[in-house]
Every structure is written in C-alpha cells, then in structure tokens.
Amino acid sequence: MKVRLYTDNEIKILEQNIFVRKVKYKREIEYDPLFKLWVIMMRFKFPELSAREIFSRAGFDVNILHPKLPQRRIKDWVDNYKKFGIRYFLPEDEYYQSITCVKDKKIVYDTMKMQLMDFVLSKLKELNINDNR
C-alpha cells in the first residue's frame, strides 16, 4: 500500500490550524480532542453538511487532504462516541469503556464497574509508586 507524505509546505499549513497538534512522520495528523467533539456535534446538528464542508469550516485546506480523509475521520469519531461516549475523547490520559445501555435517550453507565475500575487503577498507581522507591 502506498503512503501519502505531506510536503514541508503542506505540513506548515496544517500545523497553523488551531485544531492540529502536530503532523507526525509527515503523514499522520494529530487532532485536538476539542476538534473531534466539535465535529461530532456538527455531524449531529447539521447532517446536511458534508465531511469536507465540516473540515473546511474548521479552517482546514481540504485540498491538501485526501478526498476521503474527512469522511473517514468523522465516521470513526462518531462511531467511537456512540460506543464509548465522551470519555473516549476526554480526559486523554484516562481509561474509557463501553456505554452499557441507553434508556429513554439517556446514557446509563455501569457505575459498579466504573467504581471498580477507579479503585483498581488507584491501587495500581500506589503499587507502582511503592515499587519505584
């Protein structure tokens, strides 16, 4: 499979966008989580907009990007939002898990599992700290 590398000029243009953290390896765009959530909101609020139009409204030069890139990214982000909720995106350095059920359009989480996960992670942090001393 061929890999598309961005030129130095294209990288400069992309990195000037406030929603781009950096372009890694001249081919991988790292987006800000705020942008991902904004895109999801735009997809739900304005379903008539195309993916390229959404990226364009965010200040991206869509002519630099592969024609299918905005569509693929938005689909991935919306799918992950539906499956995992906002915790998939924020905070970035914590775990996320599947949403267990939806009742009356209200998302309900398995709180026992989330409490257990918090407890286990805090104990692992304690153990890791004690091992490093």
Side-chain angles (χ1 to χ4, degrees):
M1 178 167 82
K2 287 189 176 189
V3 176
R4 196 252 198 233
L5 298 178
Y6 295 109
T7 66
D8 291 337
N9 189 41
E10 290 171 332
I11 291 171
K12 183 179 175 185
I13 291 169
L14 287 169
E15 288 183 341
Q16 286 177 349
N17 187 301
I18 62 169
F19 296 121
V20 174
R21 287 192 170 164
K22 62 183 167 185
V23 178
K24 297 190 262 184
Y25 318 114
K26 292 191 166 197
R27 69 176 186 269
E28 200 175 302
I29 302 171
E30 184 179 329
Y31 302 95
D32 190 289
L34 174 62
F35 173 66
K36 296 175 185 180
L37 292 170
W38 178 81
V39 164
I40 293 166
M41 181 208 61
M42 292 294 286
R43 173 56 72 211
F44 289 135
K45 190 167 173 89
F46 302 105
E48 69 276 4
L49 292 177
S50 72
R52 290 177 64 84
E53 288 173 330
I54 292 172
F55 266 61
S56 182
R57 285 186 180 199
F60 281 91
D61 182 352
V62 292
N63 296 321
I64 293 174
L65 307 174
H66 185 280
K68 291 287 186 179
L69 182 105
Q71 181 182 358
R72 290 177 186 152
R73 294 297 169 263
I74 292 174
K75 182 185 181 327
D76 287 343
W77 297 335
V78 168
D79 289 349
N80 286 326
Y81 179 77
K82 286 178 180 177
K83 186 171 183 179
F84 303 113
I86 198 166
R87 287 197 73 163
Y88 181 82
F89 302 96
L90 296 172
E92 292 178 88
D93 59 346
E94 290 187 14
Y95 64 90
Y96 62 92
Q97 60 193 78
S98 296
I99 298 172
T100 55
C101 60
V102 177
K103 292 182 182 176
D104 301 325
K105 294 186 179 183
K106 180 181 176 187
I107 298 172
V108 180
Y109 296 94
D110 186 345
T111 57
M112 192 285 254
K113 281 187 178 179
M114 290 181 75
Q115 289 173 356
L116 179 61
M117 179 69 84
D118 288 336
F119 176 76
V120 169
L121 288 175
S122 67
K123 290 300 175 186
L124 283 172
K125 282 182 183 179
E126 288 175 17
L127 291 172
N128 192 19
I129 290 170
N130 291 335
D131 288 343
N132 291 333
R133 288 185 178 178

